Amino acid sequence: MSPFRPLRTRSSRLRPVRLLKLDGVYRAANLDSLISQWREPYRLMLSVPWPGFLLLIALAYLGTNVVFAQLYLLDAPGIGGLPQGQVAGFSDAFFFSVQTLGSIGYGVLHPVSPLVNALVTLQAFVSLVFTAVTTGLVFARFSRSRAEIRFSNVATVQPWDGSPCLTFRIVNVHHNNLVSAQVQAYLAIDERSAEGETMRRLHRLELVRNEAFLFQLMWTVMHPIGQDSPLHGLSEARLRDAHGEVLVAFEGVDETVRSPVYKRAAYNSSRIRFDETFVDIVRDDQSEFRCLDFSRFNDTRQR
């Protein structure tokens, strides 16, 4: 028998998965994804909305006090400051824990036994850690950029300078100053080898302009479909049969908070409009300024 055994890790177990279709992208979603989120508490606390964040903090605060209240009740006579002959109950232990955790120190309830003094010492340490972690999480949430990037609902294949171009739009919703903005685009498509094997391949799409030193309003991203383009010769039907998708990633830096901004999108065959072009959103009011009509951001028309 071989002296070696295969290493069994947590990730090597077989797990049931199901496919979800979000924004045109099929993703493998683990059935216990909710449980896995709790394995990364920092990520969870940053991604949950503010009401949920405050609720989790409140539950942790109350839970900590309930646990220490139960521990204090192991030596209920060790809590002093109660009327003569009265022993601390749960409510007394709970509010004693609240005062200890918050370093309130009213001076009424106080520890008198070695066990309760030891528990107070432990809770004082937990209080320091709890305050530091909560403060760090609140700062991390406030310091994040609130820039919002949106992609057009569809992409079009429209002519530009005599050749077809894959075109889609990106808008900076809040008009934050985003510097060092970059866009990458890839074609994901099923390809069959000479041996008959099917493999999902990614092909980079070269863009007319893939970076901007300052991005404030809107960006029309274009990929010329020339002889060297992975999209060259692909019809709408061929793209659909091969489960073709255009994957897009945006990256920039919020100039105000010096925080990176990321956004991604996917255009499957149903969201790529052949022989259509985007409606112009620039409106000239015969004045000193030109206006952008973002109500037509997603509008297209037949060529």
Side-chain angles (χ1 to χ4, degrees):
M1 179 180 294
S2 172
F4 299 101
R5 295 182 179 180
L7 179 63
R8 295 185 61 85
T9 62
R10 192 180 194 92
S11 60
S12 65
R13 294 182 302 171
L14 293 177
R15 298 182 179 179
V17 298
R18 55 191 174 93
L19 292 180
L20 295 179
K21 187 177 182 183
L22 300 174
D23 295 332
V25 180
Y26 284 95
R27 313 178 192 278
N30 202 311
L31 293 179
D32 59 353
S33 58
L34 291 178
I35 299 177
S36 64
Q37 290 182 6
W38 292 95
R39 296 172 184 166
E40 301 181 53
Y42 180 72
R43 179 181 177 184
L44 173 66
M45 296 301 285
L46 290 184
S47 60
V48 71
W50 273 105
F53 173 78
L54 296 176
L55 177 61
L56 290 174
I57 294 295
L59 291 176
Y61 178 81
L62 293 176
T64 301
N65 284 301
V66 168
V67 169
F68 273 95
Q70 297 290 348
L71 293 175
Y72 287 134
L73 290 179
L74 296 176
D75 186 13
I79 300 178
L82 295 168
Q84 186 69 26
Q86 182 177 341
V87 179
F90 176 78
S91 61
D92 299 315
F94 177 81
F95 289 113
F96 177 66
S97 173
V98 170
Q99 295 175 26
T100 304
L101 188 65
S103 300
I104 298 175
Y106 287 122
V108 179
L109 299 178
H110 56 276
V112 296
S113 70
L115 176 59
V116 174
N117 274 291
L119 290 174
V120 167
T121 303
L122 175 61
Q123 190 171 14
F125 174 75
V126 172
S127 174
L128 292 175
V129 175
F130 183 83
T131 303
V133 171
T134 304
T135 303
L137 289 173
V138 172
F139 176 78
R141 290 179 66 92
F142 271 111
S143 62
R144 289 188 304 171
S145 172
R146 291 302 173 187
E148 182 179 354
I149 303 300
R150 289 183 186 174
F151 293 86
S152 56
N153 292 334
V154 297
T156 65
V157 177
Q158 62 188 58
W160 183 261
D161 286 340
S163 63
C165 274
L166 175 74
T167 306
F168 56 90
R169 288 171 167 174
I170 307 176
V171 64
N172 183 356
V173 177
H174 296 159
H175 300 170
N176 306 58
N177 287 337
L178 299 181
V179 298
S180 302
Q182 296 183 2
V183 177
Q184 299 182 58
Y186 294 85
L187 172 66
I189 193 170
D190 294 343
E191 294 183 353
R192 187 177 296 273
S193 67
E195 294 75 19
E197 299 291 337
T198 301
M199 180 179 293
R200 190 74 167 170
R201 301 290 301 275
L202 281 178
H203 300 280
R204 185 182 182 91
L205 301 179
E206 297 296 333
L207 305 177
V208 173
R209 182 168 63 94
N210 69 335
E211 59 183 6
F213 74 95
L214 180 63
F215 178 40
Q216 288 183 313
L217 297 175
M218 195 192 74
W219 189 347
T220 300
V221 184
M222 306 178 69
H223 163 69
I225 306 178
Q227 295 289 337
D228 298 330
S229 170
L231 290 171
H232 181 71
L234 287 179
S235 63
E236 185 175 2
R238 172 70 179 89
L239 193 65
R240 181 176 60 254
D241 294 340
H243 304 101
E245 290 182 310
V246 175
L247 309 178
V248 185
F250 172 89
E251 177 183 358
V253 178
D254 192 319
E255 187 179 45
T256 304
V257 296
R258 297 293 191 272
S259 177
V261 178
Y262 302 100
K263 189 70 174 181
R264 53 192 170 89
Y267 297 98
N268 60 13
S269 58
S270 64
R271 298 178 63 191
I272 300 178
R273 305 289 177 81
F274 287 77
D275 298 323
E276 292 190 20
T277 183
F278 280 106
V279 174
D280 192 2
I281 69 171
V282 179
R283 189 175 62 193
D284 192 351
D285 292 338
Q286 304 299 325
S287 62
E288 181 182 357
F289 302 100
R290 305 178 75 184
C291 300
L292 297 180
D293 185 4
F294 285 103
S295 65
R296 300 189 291 179
F297 176 72
N298 293 302
D299 294 348
T300 62
R301 59 177 175 81
Q302 292 289 334
R303 290 198 292 116

